Amino acid sequence: MKVLSAVAWPYANGPRHLGHVAGFAVPSDVFSRYMRMAGHDVLMVSGTDEHGTPILVQADKEGTTARDLADRNNRVIAQELADLGCSYDLFTRTTTANHYAVAQELFTQVWKNGYMIERTTKGAVSPSTGRTLPDRYIEGTCPICGYPEARGDQCDNCGNQLDPTELIDPRSKINGETPEFIETQHFFLDLPALADSLREWLEEREASGTWRPNVIKFSLNILDDIKPRAMTRDIDWGIPVPLDGWRDQPTKRLYVWFDAVVGYLSASIEWARRVGDAERWREWWNDPEAVSHYFMGKDNITFHSQIWPAELLGYAGKGAHGGEPGGYGVLNLPTEVVSSEYLTMESKQFSSSRGHVIYVRDVLTRYQPDALRYFLCAAGPENQDADFSWREFVTRTNSELVAGWGNLVNRTASMIAKSFGEIPPAAELTADDEALLAKVREGFETVGGLIGRHRLRQAISEAMRVVGEVNKYVTDQAPFKLKGEDERERLGTILHVTAQAVVDLNTILSPFLPHSSNAVHATFGGEGEFMPMPRVDEVTDLDDGHPYPVITGEYSATPAWESRPVRVGAPVSKPTPVFQKLDESVVEEELKRLQGDAEDEADGDA
């Protein structure tokens, strides 16, 4: 089966913090790695989202250009996601010539089919700079529910779409001033003309029973008050509007959210071009049997369950106005929209501006990537908001990862190394031996089924439950007490059974813990890389020659999701610990560092 893993595009106005990767990066990678192991043909794509006013605001603040800022942050983000182990087939960016061409093609065909309507509207402008303010940079009181911090495009409290002119007491989030509203021409996506087709698709997805309840409920609710939505902006940084009379206007560009979601398609097309088979992307996009899973945080649901599907329907001419598909053909709608809830930190919202933040790159500098991946899978915001605290990070790392799985690996390898130096053969198995191996084998179906349904917390909990069963088996069988020559055969059998259990559990845990799976594989005499890892390649734009890094990888050697017999005679030497135990002082050190960062930010604002 062809499986598209469409991963949210991190915004390139700065490095990513834990709240970001908890929602899109780790969940998508665990799923993609598992689906490859299950024998499916996975295409995992994403990139940095680099247009829009926030990039311009940050560039002005730093005294640089929007392109230079995007170049720098694209490089930082690509490296940190690769270091985290995210196995993208292609992680690219939205400033490529390829992406411009694909976005303009979609816009043009949607317009030809009658789903882009031109309107005169009022746009917000900063009185002090004369620069257009995007809807998301305007804040005020929601006219529907009274929430005092509603954005100009949407109220996060009641979920309704808004127009900034509807806000009560609107203000700029950049400098607090009251924006001026001036008349301007824009293209709007005619969502009401696509509403019936959207509802039909969403009701079909609801009937499948596979979407998370919060996602499908929210998606259907927003159809009740659907309105045309602006797809162009007054801004000089972005993709030109590809229509006569518009393309040469220096301050008219496609809305950043129109072009960002097109990135899933443009990245697929770029990937196909880079592997030398320019039309191969169609296997994931035109084949009705292919499936697609979109990963993001809950603040982006509307763009993936309404805006992007509407663009795809409009491109295919499947709305009230009719029409015909463009050159890309009929493109598949999302099979699953996998949205995570919010991750807070020490019970507060992440805030880069207030210094209440920890960046992915900083965690990876000080701690093992699999320790972070484990925490985000075991305690992340899968279907409800979750909190990251340093105390829980240390506790889970030490009591679960180190004392549970790491201890099992190390004690098994140490006993084999001491008594045999290699994996011993098994004699006749007892009922206890058979029962343990059966429990471990059952984990493939149980854990795999949960990952496939995006239940990562349950999946890793079940895997660690089986780890506990194997640790109990070792304690009950007490191989360390078998010292006589007449007990050597039984000793070898117990250690063979335990080694088999550990090797199978390593396979089961490898989508969650890919880095350590390679270390465990080597510990038990395995050769080569067990779980293929991503790499960062330096490339040049296929059309304009601009250099940039991409994440890619060769994943064809991914192991199958199945039990494989241990190799009798495989050498096993005294192991080094797979996971690092964290000292309790880490909690105090990190909280002091966090407080220092917050104070630095406060001083900078003064």
Side-chain angles (χ1 to χ4, degrees), residues 200-215:
E200 181 181 347
W201 165 67
L202 282 170
E203 288 176 347
E204 175 190 289
R205 301 318 308 147
E206 183 181 34
S208 74
T210 57
W211 282 33
R212 291 175 179 170
N214 61 316
V215 179

Side-chain angles (χ1 to χ4, degrees), residues 327-408:
Y328 296 142
V330 176
L331 300 165
N332 291 337
L333 295 173
T335 307
E336 301 280 340
V337 172
V338 188
S339 168
S340 297
E341 300 295 296
Y342 289 136
L343 183 75
T344 55
M345 182 180 177
E346 302 292 347
S347 302
K348 296 179 183 178
Q349 285 189 342
F350 280 89
S351 174
S352 300
S353 62
R354 298 187 185 97
H356 190 78
V357 67
I358 180 162
Y359 294 109
V360 175
R361 59 185 181 181
D362 293 333
V363 177
L364 298 182
T365 298
R366 299 193 285 273
Y367 308 102
Q368 292 176 294
D370 279 358
L372 176 58
R373 288 176 65 107
Y374 178 81
F375 182 94
L376 294 178
C377 291
E382 184 176 293
N383 51 22
Q384 62 184 23
D385 291 352
D387 187 59
F388 177 92
S389 74
W390 282 110
R391 183 160 301 283
E392 188 177 5
F393 177 71
V394 170
T395 298
R396 283 188 177 271
T397 298
N398 290 346
S399 65
E400 298 173 20
L401 207 52
V402 175
W405 174 228
N407 177 55
L408 176 61

Side-chain angles (χ1 to χ4, degrees), residues 121-136:
T121 185
K122 287 191 174 182
V125 173
S126 164
S128 61
T129 67
R131 177 171 284 167
T132 302
L133 288 169
D135 296 349
R136 282 186 159 227

Side-chain angles (χ1 to χ4, degrees), residues 1-5 35 39-43 271 280 282-285 287 289-293 332 335:
M1 182 169 65
K2 301 292 182 183
V3 179
L4 176 70
S5 282
M35 294 302 277
H40 302 298
D41 196 353
V42 175
L43 180 60
W271 169 82
R280 194 174 165 202
R282 293 184 183 276
E283 296 174 20
W284 286 268
W285 285 91
D287 181 356
E289 297 301 312
V291 298
S292 55
H293 296 248
N332 291 337
T335 307

